[in-house]
Amino acid sequence: MTDQTRSQSGSAPALTRRQAYEQRLRRRSITIAAGSTLAVVLAVVLLVPLSRGWDAVKRSFFNGEVFAKTFPGLLDAFLMNVAIFLWCAPIIAVLGLLIALFRDVRSPALYPLRLFGAIYTDVFRGLPVILVIYLIGFGVPGLGLPRPWNSPYIWGSLALILVYAAYVAEVIRSGIDSIHHSQRAAAASLGLSDGDTMRYVVLPQAIRNVAPANMNLFIALQKDVALLSFIGPVEVFRQAGVYKSLLANFTPYVGAAVIFLALTIPATRYADYLMHKQRRRQS
Amino acid sequence: MAKLDLKGVTKSFGDNMVCRGIDLSVDEGEMVCLIGASGSGKSTLLRCINLLEPIDDGCILLDGVDISEPGLDPQPIRARIGIVFQSFNLFPHMTAAENVMLAPRRVLGKSRDALEGPVKTLFERFDLGQRMHHYPDQLSGGQQQRVAIIRALAMAPEIMLFDEITSALDPELVGEVLDVLRQLRSEGMTMILATHEMAFARELADKVCFLDAGRILEEGPPDTLFADPKEPRTRAFLKRVL
Ligand SMILES: Nc1ncnc2c1ncn2[C@@H]1O[C@H](COP(=O)(O)OP(=O)(O)OP(=O)(O)O)[C@@H](O)[C@H]1O
Ligand SMILES: [Mg+2]
């Protein structure tokens, strides 16, 4: 036993022929990839500044001074994006789940729910997000509601919630459809009610299967929060616009882009990783 | 009175009439085997008895009470009749023990604490005490099928239906599942099996029914049916499978 462990961990393990071959191959491809990447970067760095407009672009988009001055303010404004996202996301999750369940009801008395679910998802997936934000964000406060009920924060958020719940509902429904009917049969054969079958057998599996797809939706939502700037709320995109007018410089937009990417790239990568893991498990 | 009595049961899927008037009577503690070619309607018949499929005509009596009455709530009846499928159909997101406890908790209203002891005993009885907290994909096919049997037994059913429960298993795993059936047989469980295991049917069944094109063409004790089939079609089928 001890002999074995020593020989496994102690001495440097000799590579098999296959491993040695794969290592050579891997080193070669890493070298080639690094070389070609370096060539492209060099070309960009050297050639772009040669173009005639580069100085002007650099001054108005990549101005270090403006960037340093406005970035803290943009970060502050981004907290508003985060807040809007945080109060919308749970409502979207719950509403999306409800609509998905509406579309699965079997009893004829509940047929109106089923119909409502179908119309709802068709309508809100069929409209551009910005249009819904305009209609609700300008339309409802136009009714002359008293403060605070005329706030664009409320109605803008509602627009996002309505649209994204439709997408989430559709994703969850596809997850429900993906569960093999033999699972329902097994649950029914044990005497479980339709409701319990859904709650304990179908939904947990369905939601797990579509978690990566839902994550991608919530990443898209995080970006679309910026659309609310068109009806009033001061979030990072709007704040960048304010700085732009103030300083007559576009660098704040680049700052806003940096903030979005810092959040969305890791999140997208993570969703891809989840999706990849799932596909491997299913095959 | 028979425990279970089928009278003239018919069932169609569209134009395809799968059960064409089935009469079958099963006494308490009896083990009945259904044999027949693929597509002869064995699975469909079992699913009808468990009310997973509604029948078109005829009736199914359980203790003399018609359970096939259209409009009857099927849930309490399903809870009294256990079924085990060829493809196990365990819930993959739950451990073996959770699979077994779900229905007793939700349907019989028992608490997790109250179930823990009896469920553990059940697992140990079928030699799975060490596997209780494993997920289905961590179990072999034979172990999964035994968990599926335990899951059905945990509802304390009055009858157990088995639909070719060894057909999806590697040959070396068939034995451990058949042993479970032997054990249930010796404990006096009323059972109906659809099976391709002729040797097993011959060894243990009280009655063997040969299904052909949705009818029970011939039935009798295994010694008679296997040794001296009356119908030419039965003879042809047995010649093919034996
Ligand atoms: N849900 C269904 N919808 C439509 N047709 C079905 C359905 N279930 C079974 N059938 C049909 O009923 C017939 C009998 O099928 P069944 O599964 O009962 O046969 P079986 O005797 O169990 O066969 P096997 O030995 O292959 O399991 C087949 O022709 C099949 O196509
Ligand atoms: Mg079958």
Side-chain angles (χ1 to χ4, degrees), chain B residues 68-135:
Chain B
S68 60
E69 178 93 24
L72 215 65
D73 181 10
Q75 280 162 32
I77 295 155
R78 287 183 189 140
R80 294 168 61 193
I81 305 176
I83 185 167
V84 183
F85 305 93
Q86 179 177 344
S87 53
F88 327 144
N89 298 354
L90 292 179
F91 307 132
H93 59 299
M94 298 180 187
T95 64
E98 287 165 353
N99 262 278
V100 171
M101 283 195 242
L102 178 65
R105 286 176 62 199
R106 299 302 307 172
V107 181
L108 307 178
K110 294 189 180 166
S111 76
R112 195 183 270 271
D113 289 342
L115 282 166
E116 209 141 294
V119 165
K120 194 154 192 285
T121 313
L122 262 179
F123 274 91
E124 275 160 4
R125 205 168 109 204
F126 297 107
D127 212 13
L128 282 169
Q130 304 300 313
R131 297 277 181 264
M132 269 181 81
H133 302 294
H134 286 55
Y135 284 89

Side-chain angles (χ1 to χ4, degrees), chain A residues 181, chain B residues 12-14 16-19 36-45 47 53 86 163-164 194 196 211:
Chain A
H181 59 80
Chain B
S12 304
F13 294 107
N16 183 8
M17 195 160 182
V18 179
C19 299
S38 181
S40 56
K42 305 180 294 291
S43 300
T44 305
L45 184 60
R47 293 170 62 87
E53 299 283 357
Q86 179 177 344
D163 188 3
E164 294 189 35
H196 285 307
L211 252 76

Side-chain angles (χ1 to χ4, degrees), chain B residues 12-61:
Chain B
S12 304
F13 294 107
D15 294 340
N16 183 8
M17 195 160 182
V18 179
C19 299
R20 297 168 179 265
I22 300 227
D23 297 302
L24 175 66
S25 140
V26 183
D27 284 328
E28 179 106 44
E30 227 182 4
M31 173 165 152
V32 174
C33 285
L34 306 175
I35 62 171
S38 181
S40 56
K42 305 180 294 291
S43 300
T44 305
L45 184 60
L46 292 181
R47 293 170 62 87
C48 286
I49 295 173
N50 185 256
L51 307 186
L52 283 173
E53 299 283 357
I55 62 172
D56 299 335
D57 220 337
C59 63
I60 302 173
L61 306 177

Side-chain angles (χ1 to χ4, degrees), chain A residues 81-144:
Chain A
N81 292 62
V82 174
I84 294 173
F85 175 83
L86 285 181
W87 73 59
C88 287
I91 303 177
I92 288 168
V94 172
L95 187 61
L97 179 60
L98 274 180
I99 304 274
L101 291 177
F102 285 177
R103 300 199 63 181
D104 198 67
V105 295
R106 308 262 159 98
S107 104
L110 297 178
Y111 182 76
L113 281 185
R114 198 184 171 122
L115 186 70
F116 169 79
I119 295 176
Y120 179 93
T121 45
D122 280 357
V123 166
F124 283 103
R125 287 188 315 146
L127 289 171
V129 187
I130 188 67
L131 193 59
V132 179
I133 291 174
Y134 265 64
L135 287 177
I136 296 181
F138 286 135
V140 179
L143 296 174

